[in-house]
Amino acid sequence: MDIGELILSTVRMATPILLVALAELYSERAGLVNIGLDGIMSFGALAGFMVCFITGSPFLGILAGAMGGILINMIYAYCTISLCAEQIVYGMAINIFAPAVASFIYRIYFGVSSTLAQDTLMKSIAIPYLKDIPFLGKLLFDQTPMVYFAYLMVVFTAIFFNKTKKGLNYKAVGEYPKAAETLGINVIRQKYVACMICGALAGIGGAYLTTCYVNTYSDGVVAGRGFIALSAVIFGRWSSGGVLLACLLFGFCDALQLRLQIMNTSTPYQLFQMIPYVCTLVALAAFGIKKAGPKANGKPYMREER
Amino acid sequence: MKKVFALVLTLAMALSLAACGAASKPAASASGSAAASGSAAASGYKVAMVCDSSISDGGWGAACYNAMVDAAADLGWETAYSDSVAQSDYASSITSYCDLGYNMIFLPGNQYSDATVQVAKDYPDICFAVLNGAEDLPTDNITSILPNADEIGYMAGALAGLMTKTNVLGFIGGMEIDTTKAKLAGYEAAAKAVNPDITVLSAYAGSFDDTAKGMELANGMLSKNADVFFGDASAVDSGARQAIDTANGDGEIGIYDIGQPADLLGQNPCVICSVVTDNAGMLKLAMQDAQAGSFGNKTIYGSFENGCLSVGAFNDELVSADIQSAYMDFIDQMAAGTFPG
C-alpha cells in the first residue's frame, strides 16, 4: 500500500471534519451544545457550490458558505440564547430544516435533470521551501488554502483559549456564566458571537466539500460528517489539539478502510466500514471516562434567575 | 414587540418542522405539486413515485424520475413524486398517494418491496410497479420491473476488457444489494472472457450519495493501476469520475469510465460509453397493462433483446473503430446467449 497516498487521503478526509469540529468547540466553550452541525454544513455546502458555480470563484464560494452557515445558526442562537429553549431540540430542528431548504433551493435553481452541474475546484497552492521537504513536503504543504486555514485555526484556537484574556473570558461563559456576568462579561453577547463563529466555521466545512473536495452538489453530500465532528469534540476533550488528533484518527481509519476494501475483495466490506466507528468507540471508552467539558454546557442561561 | 417576534419565529420553526415531517406527504410537499404537470392528452390516470434518494442526484434518482415523466407524457398520465423519503416513511408515503386516488405507484428499487406488499393488500384497485423487484414479488396488483443486471454487467465488462491496458479494472458499488452484486459478477465474467489476465478491484461506498467516498475509492483503485471503471452508486459514481478526470489531468485521457444508467457521454471527459437502461420503456409497458386491466402477477423484464438495454454513444476519439466493432460482436454473441459462456 502506498503510504504517501494514504496520508494524503487522510488529510483530505479529515479537513472538513476538523473545520466543523472546531466550530462545535467554539460553540460548546460558550456553553452551547449544537448538534445541528450536519444541517449547517448542508446549507454551507449548497451556498458555497452555488456561488462558486455562478461566479467561478471557489473563494467567494467559501465566503458564501460561511455567511449561509451564520444565517442558519442564528435561528438556533435566537431560540436557545434569547428564548432559553432546549439546545438539543433546536439542534435537531436545524438538522431537519437546513438540508431540506438546501435541496429546495438547489432544485429551484438547477431543476431536475440527469446532467450534473459542476463547479470549479480550488487549486492547491504549494508553500515555498516547506514543500521541498522530502516525502512530507509534497504531502502536507501542497494543499488547498483551506487545509492550511484549518490547521492554522487549530493553533490559533489553542492560543486564544489558553493564553489570551479574551479567550479566558470566553471560556468563563461556558463554565460559570453567572460569575462571568458579575465580573462584567456580557454573557448574552458572548454566546451570540460563539454562534456566529460556529455557523461560519461549520458553513466553511460544508463549502469545503463542494468547492475544494468534490465539484458537484447532491443531497446528502455531507453524509453525517457533522455528527462525526460532534464526537470528535468530546473525544478531543474540548481542546483544539485533541480535536485535531481525533479528526486525523477518524480520517486515517476511514482512508485505511477504503484501501483495505480494495485489497481484500473477498472479505465482507461491512467489516472494514466498521473500523472508523469501532476506533471512535474504543477511544471514547478509553479517554472519555472523566467528564472534561465546560461545566455549564447545554444549560440555558437566564439572567434574572437566581 | 419582542414577544411578537418570538412568536413569529417559533411559528416559522414549527412550520418548517411540520413541513419536513410531512415532506413525504404529497399534499403538503411543494415539490410534489410542482411536478404534477398537466399533459396534452390527459388520460385521467395518475402515477406517483416514492423514492429514497434525491431526484436531482444526477444518477439513479434522476434517471427513474425522468423515466416516469417520459412514460407518463407518452400515455397522458399525470405524475407526482416524493423523494428523499426515509425508510421508516416508505409505507406512509405510499399510503397517502393511494388515498389521493393515484392509479399507479412507481417504486424505483427492491428496498421498497416490504412496504409495497404491506400497503398493496389494503388497496387492491391500485397498481404497484416495483423496479428491480424480485421475481417472486408480483401479486394481483404488484408487478416487478426487472432490467437484466447480468447483461448490464456483461455489456460494461466486455468494453472494459477491450479497453484496458493495465489489465486492472475498477468497480464501485453503493450498497451490496442483489442487482449490484449481479452487475459486478457480470462485469467480471465478461471482462475475463475477453481477456483472462484481467483482475477486477471492487469496493462499496456504503452510501449512494457520499460523493467524496467515491473519489477516495477511485483514488485507491487508481494507485493499484486500475484504468477502466464502472460503478453502480449514483452520486458516488460522479465522485469517482472526478477522481479519474483529475488523474488524467490535462494531457491524453488514458483512464476511462463507463456510465450507467443514462447515456452519460460528455458529462465527464473520461466517459467512453454508457450502458443505457430504458426504464421509461419498461414502465410504459406496466402503465399500458394498468390501462388495459391486465396488470399484476407478472415480471416485466428489461433486456438487450427487447430494447430496454442498449449501448450508449461511444467517445469516438478514445474508442477506436476496431474496438467498437469487436465490442458489438461480443454484444451480438451476448444476445445470442453464447457470451460470456
Side-chain angles (χ1 to χ4, degrees), chain A residues 236-288:
Chain A
R237 303 181 69 77
W238 291 272
S239 80
S240 62
V243 165
L244 172 66
L245 284 181
C247 292
L248 284 177
L249 177 73
F250 190 86
F252 176 76
C253 291
D254 215 8
L256 184 71
Q257 69 91 359
L258 293 177
R259 271 158 192 79
L260 286 177
Q261 258 201 70
I262 297 167
M263 293 187 356
N264 308 291
T265 29
S266 52
T267 319
Y269 76 103
Q270 289 90 344
L271 276 178
F272 295 121
Q273 282 184 342
M274 270 176 4
I275 293 175
Y277 303 96
V278 169
C279 274
T280 311
L281 273 176
V282 169
L284 272 179
F287 300 109

Side-chain angles (χ1 to χ4, degrees), chain B:
Chain B
M1 181 57 212
K2 205 174 164 194
K3 268 206 176 126
V4 174
F5 183 56
L7 199 75
V8 170
L9 216 88
T10 331
L11 221 86
M13 208 63 208
L15 212 81
S16 69
L17 262 176
C20 291
S24 53
K25 294 186 184 68
S29 137
S31 48
S33 53
S37 51
S39 183
S43 62
Y45 282 88
K46 295 193 287 187
V47 58
M49 169 170 127
V50 175
C51 184
D52 57 358
S53 56
S54 159
I55 58 161
S56 50
D57 61 0
W60 179 250
C64 291
Y65 176 71
N66 289 334
M68 177 180 75
V69 172
D70 292 348
D74 281 357
L75 297 174
W77 288 39
E78 263 183 57
T79 67
Y81 70 88
S82 290
D83 63 346
S84 302
V85 175
Q87 185 162 17
S88 51
D89 296 330
Y90 290 166
S92 60
S93 308
I94 299 171
T95 307
S96 52
Y97 278 115
C98 292
D99 289 336
L100 282 170
Y102 279 77
N103 307 82
M104 183 190 278
I105 315 291
F106 172 45
L107 301 138
N110 189 25
Q111 65 269 40
Y112 310 96
S113 300
D114 291 343
T116 305
V117 170
Q118 184 193 332
V119 178
K121 282 197 303 263
D122 301 332
Y123 296 90
D125 298 334
I126 294 171
C127 306
F128 296 85
V130 182
L131 184 55
N132 285 335
E135 282 163 315
D136 58 1
L137 184 68
T139 63
D140 287 342
N141 60 340
I142 301 177
T143 285
S144 283
I145 301 177
L146 203 56
N148 190 329
D150 297 331
E151 281 192 353
I152 295 175
Y154 296 154
M155 289 163 83
L159 183 60
L162 288 167
M163 290 300 290
T164 182
K165 294 181 198 81
T166 60
N167 288 346
V168 183
L169 307 182
F171 179 91
I172 296 171
M175 307 249 188
E176 201 176 23
I177 49 179
D178 290 348
T179 49
T180 303
K181 280 200 288 198
K183 283 174 195 173
L184 172 58
Y187 180 65
E188 194 161 357
K192 285 193 168 145
V194 172
N195 178 350
D197 297 332
I198 279 176
T199 42
V200 176
L201 303 174
S202 67
Y204 291 91
S207 149
F208 287 105
D209 42 32
D210 194 343
T211 319
K213 276 256 164 73
M215 195 179 147
E216 294 298 339
L217 281 172
N219 274 329
M221 291 178 179
L222 286 167
S223 69
K224 308 218 47 135
N225 286 326
D227 69 344
V228 186
F229 286 78
F230 183 57
D232 193 27
S234 299
V236 174
D237 287 339
S238 52
R241 279 180 215 115
Q242 190 193 328
I244 297 166
D245 282 340
T246 312
N248 279 326
D250 297 327
E252 199 184 336
I253 294 170
I255 306 164
Y256 313 118
D257 185 79
I258 299 166
Q260 73 133 354
D263 195 335
L264 298 179
L265 187 74
Q267 182 173 298
N268 292 71
C270 61
V271 175
I272 46 170
C273 187
S274 314
V275 178
V276 182
T277 309
D278 183 12
N279 290 325
M282 290 182 287
L283 187 59
K284 211 164 126 180
L285 293 175
M287 286 171 157
Q288 283 162 342
D289 280 352
Q291 279 175 322
S294 60
F295 190 89
N297 283 326
K298 70 170 169 188
T299 302
I300 297 173
Y301 291 98
S303 61
F304 184 76
E305 293 76 22
N306 68 7
C308 289
L309 296 180
S310 58
V311 177
F314 285 103
N315 182 331
D316 291 326
E317 286 173 23
L318 299 175
V319 188
S320 68
D322 290 347
I323 290 184
Q324 286 188 25
S325 67
Y327 176 59
M328 294 319 286
D329 286 345
F330 281 123
I331 296 297
D332 291 341
Q333 289 173 29
M334 182 190 80
T338 56
F339 177 81

Side-chain angles (χ1 to χ4, degrees), chain A residues 142-159:
Chain A
D142 191 9
Q143 302 276 1
T144 57
M146 293 320 294
V147 175
Y148 305 137
F149 171 75
Y151 291 92
L152 286 177
M153 271 309 286
V154 173
V155 179
F156 171 79
T157 308
I159 298 171

Side-chain angles (χ1 to χ4, degrees), chain A residues 143-187:
Chain A
Q143 302 276 1
T144 57
M146 293 320 294
V147 175
Y148 305 137
F149 171 75
Y151 291 92
L152 286 177
M153 271 309 286
V154 173
V155 179
F156 171 79
T157 308
I159 298 171
F160 176 71
F161 278 135
N162 297 315
K163 301 282 177 213
T164 67
K165 191 175 168 226
K166 270 205 155 62
L168 292 172
N169 284 349
Y170 190 118
K171 276 207 297 198
V173 170
E175 296 290 340
Y176 201 163
K178 208 138 267 172
E181 183 101 62
T182 57
L183 292 174
I185 299 168
N186 189 338
V187 172

